[in-house]
Amino acid sequence: MIIPKASKLDSKQIKEIEKIVSEFDCNILEIQGHNQCVYAILGDETHALMFKRIAGLSYIRKVDAIESPYKLMDRRSALSDHQVQVGISTVGKDSPFIIGGPCTIDPKEPSLYIDTAHALKEAGVNALRGGVWKPRTNPYSYQGDNKAIEIIIQAREETGLPIDVEVMDSEQLTIAMEAKVDILQVGTRNALNYSLLKEIGKLSAGTGSGVLLKRGRHVASPNEFIAAAEYLVAEGNPNVMLCPRGTTPALDGYRNHPDESVTPLLKNRTWAPVVVDPSHSVGHAEYVLACSLSAIAYGADGLCIESHIDPARGIGDDPKQAIIPERMKELISSCREIWAHRYQVKD
Ligand code: PEP
Ligand code: MN
């Protein structure tokens, strides 16, 4: 990774470096951090001579050779002070960043989604979620509908809140990018789909959109999860949020095995914000508050929570795990208390 002395390289400097790396069959890619651009070396970057020549240029601060499978995500990387901005929020800055909304948008009942969005804005969420396309275990369950994108766009226009939508393939990604979706969600089933991760990283690079990467149910180690996020950053989008959402169930009664306790491990190893999803972790509306409080106590920067004005009328996971906006408001207030305490303790 190449780190310039200034916040970015000018075009003449880029050309000069491109010329050097091309002699070693490599290329460079600009990654735009909040304060600092860094330049990833693509190709076999182990050539000591190439490193030396670049490091010797007067405008280069250093050429970083962090030995890590996730050198850009690494806490020690030059992106370590990168901040993820979503709409008017800097994730993890002053208070927990809360994404809320139904699991699934029902295209036949747009007013249920729009009314939920307004109620959630009132409750204090920072962004809206809503499934347009759904990864369903049962192939005969509702799979989503392109029409739902219009409904979530309308909710964004009416509330002014940024939106989070899961994408599972190129076609959905194209539609979501055209709609300027603020947060592209990669679900648990695609957490290790490296082709999709690369495509998302590449197409969303420089657009300002965030990516919420869920921890796959089968992603064993924190490092495997961080390396998946590295694919997004290495293709040019550093606006990554890591989202633990429960792993393979071991506790009979919970939908998944709650894993909010992985938060400090992720935060120690990377600079990326952690946004925990308590809804899919526990799978029952009644346990969502406890899991949320626990996540914030563990150091999470935010939460992604399923919420619906009338869960019984929702589809997908909503009847079981969505909380009503009134509960969301109480939850946000309790999480803020823990957040404030957390910072008091730290100081
Ligand atoms: C969802 O957010 O509704 C969802 C399908 O999540 P996950 O990928 O975590 O199962
Ligand atoms: Mn869901």
Side-chain angles (χ1 to χ4, degrees):
M1 192 189 341
I2 304 164
I3 302 130
K5 283 184 183 157
S7 62
K8 70 188 289 179
L9 296 172
D10 65 29
S11 52
K12 200 167 147 238
Q13 294 165 340
I14 289 181
K15 279 213 180 79
E16 187 171 21
I17 295 178
E18 274 173 348
K19 190 162 173 291
I20 298 173
V21 298
S22 70
E23 289 174 33
F24 298 87
D25 288 328
C26 290
N27 211 332
I28 55 167
L29 173 78
E30 179 175 281
I31 299 167
Q32 220 175 332
H34 191 64
N35 301 314
Q36 174 77 57
C37 276
V38 299
Y39 299 79
I41 301 172
L42 309 177
D44 177 7
E45 50 158 326
T46 54
H47 304 285
L49 181 58
M50 175 173 76
F51 268 45
K52 262 198 196 145
R53 281 176 58 189
I54 300 169
L57 298 168
S58 61
Y59 48 84
I60 294 301
R61 177 146 59 94
K62 64 173 172 176
V63 184
D64 222 331
I66 297 175
E67 289 287 333
S68 162
Y70 47 84
K71 48 182 131 253
L72 295 165
M73 288 289 291
D74 200 294
R75 258 196 102 71
R76 296 165 295 169
S77 99
L79 287 170
S80 64
D81 62 353
H82 180 62
Q83 294 183 322
V84 177
Q85 185 78 26
V86 180
I88 58 164
S89 313
T90 302
V91 178
K93 184 128 183 271
D94 301 315
S95 59
F97 176 72
I98 310 287
I99 307 171
C103 170
T104 306
I105 301 168
D106 184 349
K108 295 205 188 81
E109 301 261 22
S111 62
L112 272 183
Y113 189 83
I114 301 292
D115 292 349
T116 299
H118 283 286
L120 286 172
K121 167 145 190 179
E122 189 61 35
V125 305
N126 307 100
L128 295 171
R129 57 155 290 148
V132 172
W133 306 283
K134 295 306 300 179
R136 304 304 297 275
T137 312
N138 182 340
Y140 304 108
S141 298
Y142 174 72
Q143 303 281 313
D145 190 326
N146 287 357
K147 282 189 215 125
I149 194 89
E150 301 301 333
I151 301 171
I152 196 165
I153 291 172
Q154 184 188 337
R156 173 172 62 186
E157 277 165 14
E158 290 187 17
T159 61
L161 291 173
I163 54 173
D164 162 32
V165 172
E166 176 173 358
V167 292
M168 295 178 286
D169 60 38
S170 309
E171 198 186 320
Q172 295 167 4
L173 177 60
T174 306
I175 297 172
M177 298 287 305
E178 275 167 11
K180 296 196 169 24
V181 160
D182 306 271
I183 304 171
L184 299 160
Q185 181 174 312
V186 181
T188 191
R189 291 145 181 100
N190 279 308
L192 298 180
N193 181 343
Y194 300 127
S195 318
L196 181 67
L197 292 172
K198 281 196 215 171
E199 200 181 354
I200 291 176
K202 195 177 210 156
L203 292 186
S204 64
T207 63
S209 56
V211 183
L212 184 73
L213 176 65
K214 297 249 189 142
R215 183 173 184 221
R217 255 172 75 144
H218 306 288
V219 179
S221 68
N223 283 0
E224 194 178 9
F225 182 33
I226 300 168
E230 179 85 5
Y231 274 90
L232 295 160
V233 186
E235 292 291 338
N237 188 350
N239 300 317
V240 173
M241 291 164 268
L242 298 172
C243 179
R245 48 76 72 202
T247 57
T248 306
L251 299 179
D252 188 17
Y254 287 129
R255 176 178 178 181
N256 289 299
H257 188 90
D259 62 344
E260 69 278 5
S261 56
V262 75
T263 302
L265 305 183
L266 298 172
K267 292 195 68 77
N268 285 342
R269 292 174 207 190
T270 81
W271 46 263
V274 176
V275 175
V276 169
D277 171 347
S279 304
H280 292 85
S281 288
V282 295
H284 297 282
E286 64 202 287
Y287 306 139
V288 167
L289 173 64
C291 186
S292 303
L293 297 175
S294 166
I296 298 298
Y298 268 117
D301 299 280
L303 300 166
C304 177
I305 301 178
E306 291 190 341
S307 177
H308 194 292
I309 45 166
D310 189 355
R313 287 175 68 199
I315 45 181
D317 299 325
D318 289 323
K320 266 196 252 148
Q321 64 193 35
I323 60 169
I324 56 173
E326 288 84 341
R327 291 288 97 71
M328 178 72 98
K329 191 171 181 180
E330 294 161 6
L331 180 152
I332 292 174
S333 150
S334 306
C335 284
R336 285 191 172 166
E337 276 175 38
I338 302 229
W339 177 281
H341 181 66
R342 193 173 95 184
Y343 284 98
Q344 249 169 21
V345 170
K346 215 167 149 191
D347 292 346

